[in-house]
Amino acid sequence: MAASIEFEHVQYRLPSGVAVLDDVSFTVEPGDVLVLVGRSGVGKTTILRLINHLLLPSTGEIRVEGRATTAWDPIALRRRTGYVLQEVGLFPHMTVGRNIAVVPHLEGWPEARIRARCGELLELVGLDPVSYKGRFPHELSGGQRQRVGVARALAADPPVLLMDEPFGALDPLTRSELHREFRRIQGQLRKTVVMVTHDMAEAFALATRLGVLDQGRLVALDTPDAIARAGDPRIRMFLEALPPIPVIAREPD
């Protein structure tokens, strides 16, 4: 099977000439969850936008499903890559059901298929279709809106899912709950996922592979276990930001 996503010596420069990404190469195999971490401005979100043709590389090549992004029709590529944002971006004037149905409608699905898909996805993300399909975004909690955002990204069954700080605006308990839901959903669907986060604990909780960006370069890409053992100071500074595991005193036997 061809790799789902490949970056080959990719550089991206701003119109001013400043390099945001510099000679970045990596491969994301089908079913992987690649989580990218790094300081603000190192190019994490730029990588997501390059994958779905919102940006074009200055040099190098990006391939999705074996085809260069420049060879794809941009709209077709974006419908193959679901996108989940921190702000969710639900249309406030549309019900939950209509928000989820946006891409299937654009694809020309029949109404019966759209209704069935909407119900299936709401159940998948842990929301009762009868209770939630007719609600508007302002009637939902932050965690519920994020679940709907995931359902909308999955609506047309894209093989690739791009996630930009998807849980960053949520309180710690809701984030932890959605981490569990994400692992459950990924265990069922096996999407190819590229996620951006500032939270190292989140990265270790969700990644099958973890990439560290520093000054526009990919300085490490490996399993979470291998990253945790890395001695590179550019990696250690992120590991040191992890919260310590609390020690619970035990009563004497």
Side-chain angles (χ1 to χ4, degrees):
M1 184 183 297
S4 283
I5 301 167
E6 299 167 275
F7 274 55
E8 187 174 314
H9 301 295
V10 170
Q11 184 181 77
Y12 178 75
R13 288 184 175 275
L14 298 173
S16 64
V18 173
V20 178
L21 295 176
D22 186 13
D23 196 25
V24 171
S25 297
F26 63 87
T27 298
V28 189
E29 300 291 347
D32 269 357
V33 179
L34 171 62
V35 180
L36 299 172
V37 298
R39 293 180 182 274
S40 296
V42 297
K44 302 184 301 297
T45 296
T46 298
I47 286 176
L48 300 185
R49 292 174 177 170
L50 286 165
I51 291 170
N52 75 350
H53 206 282
L54 285 171
L55 297 174
L56 296 176
S58 303
T59 60
E61 185 172 80
I62 301 145
R63 292 183 290 275
V64 176
E65 298 183 335
R67 188 193 314 177
T69 54
T70 52
W72 279 85
D73 172 76
I75 301 302
L77 177 58
R78 287 167 201 154
R79 292 180 185 174
R80 299 285 289 167
T81 53
Y83 212 138
V84 183
L85 302 170
Q86 178 177 333
E87 298 85 3
V88 187
L90 299 179
F91 297 111
H93 61 289
M94 291 185 179
T95 64
V96 164
R98 288 185 64 202
N99 265 284
I100 293 172
V102 166
V103 174
H105 271 302
L106 292 173
E107 293 282 276
W109 289 19
E111 287 297 327
R113 184 184 177 193
I114 291 174
R115 286 194 299 272
R117 181 63 172 165
C118 179
E120 173 189 341
L121 287 169
L122 285 171
E123 289 181 352
L124 180 70
V125 300
L127 297 174
D128 175 52
V130 174
S131 300
Y132 287 94
K133 185 171 61 176
R135 295 190 188 183
F136 287 87
H138 73 270
E139 299 176 300
L140 307 177
S141 69
Q144 290 166 345
R145 286 194 296 271
Q146 201 64 54
R147 289 170 187 261
V148 174
V150 171
R152 184 177 64 180
L154 294 171
D157 199 22
V160 174
L161 192 61
L162 307 177
M163 308 184 80
D164 193 354
E165 292 280 356
F167 311 122
L170 303 174
D171 65 84
L173 287 177
T174 303
R175 287 182 78 164
S176 179
E177 179 181 289
L178 287 182
H179 289 170
R180 290 192 297 272
E181 287 295 293
F182 173 83
R183 289 193 293 267
R184 177 184 62 79
I185 292 167
Q186 177 63 3
Q188 291 180 346
L189 302 183
R190 301 292 298 168
K191 299 294 182 184
T192 301
V193 181
V194 182
M195 180 185 297
V196 163
T197 183
H198 285 90
D199 186 330
M200 284 297 287
E202 180 168 87
F204 275 92
L206 302 180
T208 58
R209 291 205 301 158
L210 185 54
V212 181
L213 287 157
D214 183 60
Q215 297 184 357
R217 288 182 172 269
L218 187 65
V219 298
L221 179 61
D222 214 323
T223 64
D225 285 346
I227 294 292
R229 297 192 299 269
D232 187 321
R234 296 171 297 181
I235 301 170
R236 297 307 309 175
M237 68 177 178
F238 291 106
L239 298 175
E240 289 162 6
L242 283 167
I245 299 173
V247 177
I248 301 173
R250 293 183 58 189
E251 294 292 332
D253 295 331

